Amino acid sequence: MNFPQRGVSLLSLLLFSGAAHATEGALGRQVTGAVVQPNIGIVSPEPITVINLSELYFDGKIKGGRETPVGGNTTLGLDGQVAFTLATLMKTWDTGEGRWNFASSITVPYVWTKVSATLTGPRGASGKTSDTASNLFDLYFTPVIAGYHFSKTQHMALSLNIWAPTGKYDQNNLANPSLNNWTFVPQVAYTGIFPDSGMQLDAVANVQFYTRNSATDYRNAPIFGLDVMGRKMFGNGVGLGLVAGTQIQLGDDKGPTADRLDGFRGHDFALGPIVTYDRKLSDKRSLSLSLRWVPTVASTRRLDSDATVMASAALLF
């Protein structure tokens, strides 16, 4: 089976968490609009290696003095800035050119985060404070990505993505380079290529399942995530498109703090442009670049950001 391009699914290589979405800290493991990638539904039939470097910046707020659980604290309002640097290695297995192909990947993230908030005291007193953290973040890996080719232009990829709580965590800190829980993310991705119009559609849907944070006795409810990207592809390797995404909490959070905040259930929606560039370097190597801006359009009990920017570079060989 020959394909019009040597695509490979980068399957959620920049899932994000840190200082706060409805969930503890108000963000969870994913930044809305930053999950979908070009060719995310394609696992290459050729045994190739992908090295990807990404930078993600997020500046979000929860306004109006709304109570938000962060670590062992409850804040009135929240302002979180996060910069993620992610290094991903993906390897496709040599399984031949059948309809099924397989790959595995691992991501090592580094995070810088600053959190500012108003803390409430035991007698109702409050005061403003801020905290920063910079360190390796929780390790992210995907043991198996199973790609299925419906045709030369229609593709699907299935995976189970796992976050391990390998970063440092202190429940007394506002800013932490870890969520202090395991997170399991079953995911389905799709890529449709439409040569006649020069259009391409990439979409990814998943559900995030969180274990309990043993330090705070807080358990995030499952979150459904959906990102969709449509691009117009030009002959010079440039692609221009639009990214839309949403995160929807499927139930109430659990634990003493979550119960006091009526489950702290939330959702959001983000929308913004993306530009991509693909260049073949040789018969065995190619380079893919992308830049997107996906500000929050609407949010409830999640960080609202008008400065969500992500840049990535992938080398395929």
Side-chain angles (χ1 to χ4, degrees):
M1 184 179 293
N2 297 316
F3 296 96
Q5 55 185 345
R6 281 204 317 167
V8 62
S9 166
L10 299 182
L11 258 343
S12 302
L13 60 90
L14 41 88
L15 297 185
F16 157 45
S17 71
H21 222 89
T23 64
E24 188 176 20
L27 187 61
R29 290 293 188 187
Q30 296 186 342
V31 172
T32 308
V35 181
V36 67
Q37 300 295 318
N39 306 320
I40 194 168
I42 304 175
V43 175
S44 174
E46 303 176 35
I48 64 174
T49 299
V50 181
I51 296 177
N52 185 287
L53 294 177
S54 296
E55 187 70 25
L56 172 63
Y57 177 77
F58 181 92
D59 187 349
K61 294 179 174 64
I62 288 185
K63 304 175 183 177
R66 295 178 179 174
E67 289 186 293
T68 304
V70 183
N73 304 290
T74 299
T75 72
L76 289 175
L78 190 70
D79 187 341
Q81 297 173 281
V82 186
F84 268 91
T85 302
L86 304 108
T88 297
L89 174 65
M90 172 178 283
K91 179 69 177 179
T92 61
W93 307 352
D94 188 2
T95 52
E97 294 192 0
R99 288 195 177 271
W100 286 97
N101 295 108
F102 302 91
S104 301
S105 73
I106 186 170
T107 296
V108 179
Y110 188 90
V111 64
W112 171 89
T113 178
K114 179 179 180 180
V115 180
S116 301
T118 299
L119 293 180
T120 55
R123 296 185 179 180
S126 62
K128 293 185 178 180
T129 186
S130 64
D131 191 18
T132 60
S134 181
N135 212 320
L136 289 174
F137 190 65
D138 294 339
L139 189 67
Y140 171 66
F141 59 98
T142 308
V144 179
I145 305 164
Y148 184 79
H149 311 290
F150 297 101
S151 67
K152 294 180 181 180
T153 58
Q154 305 294 315
H155 312 272
M156 177 184 70
L158 306 172
S159 64
L160 175 62
N161 311 297
I162 301 171
W163 287 90
T166 57
K168 293 182 178 180
Y169 184 84
D170 185 335
Q171 69 178 49
N172 297 313
N173 294 343
L174 283 179
N176 273 298
S178 173
L179 286 193
N180 198 40
N181 60 42
W182 287 84
T183 310
F184 302 93
V185 189
Q187 179 169 287
V188 57
Y190 166 80
T191 292
I193 302 167
F194 306 94
D196 293 342
S197 62
M199 297 296 296
Q200 180 166 325
L201 179 66
D202 296 285
V204 55
N206 57 50
V207 180
Q208 306 156 51
F209 295 95
Y210 296 81
T211 63
R212 183 177 64 91
N213 182 340
S214 59
T216 62
D217 196 24
Y218 197 104
R219 180 150 188 170
N220 300 321
I223 298 176
F224 170 77
L226 175 65
D227 274 11
V228 179
M229 174 172 62
R231 291 182 297 153
K232 171 67 175 180
M233 310 301 295
F234 299 94
N236 59 0
V238 174
L240 297 176
L242 195 65
V243 176
T246 186
Q247 299 281 315
I248 303 172
Q249 194 163 333
L250 300 179
D252 292 343
D253 293 344
K254 301 298 182 181
T257 303
D259 294 342
R260 188 169 62 81
L261 299 178
D262 297 324
F264 201 64
R265 184 189 300 201
H267 59 271
D268 69 357
F269 178 75
L271 179 70
I274 184 171
V275 57
T276 62
Y277 178 70
D278 297 292
R279 180 179 178 85
K280 194 169 185 179
L281 303 178
S282 66
D283 289 341
K284 298 292 186 179
R285 293 185 177 89
S286 61
L287 178 67
S288 296
L289 307 173
S290 70
L291 178 66
R292 75 183 71 187
W293 172 57
V294 281
T296 304
V297 175
S299 68
T300 298
R301 288 179 168 175
R302 286 183 67 98
L303 289 177
D304 190 328
S305 170
D306 59 4
T308 303
V309 180
M310 184 179 74
S312 63
L315 179 64
L316 288 71
F317 58 93

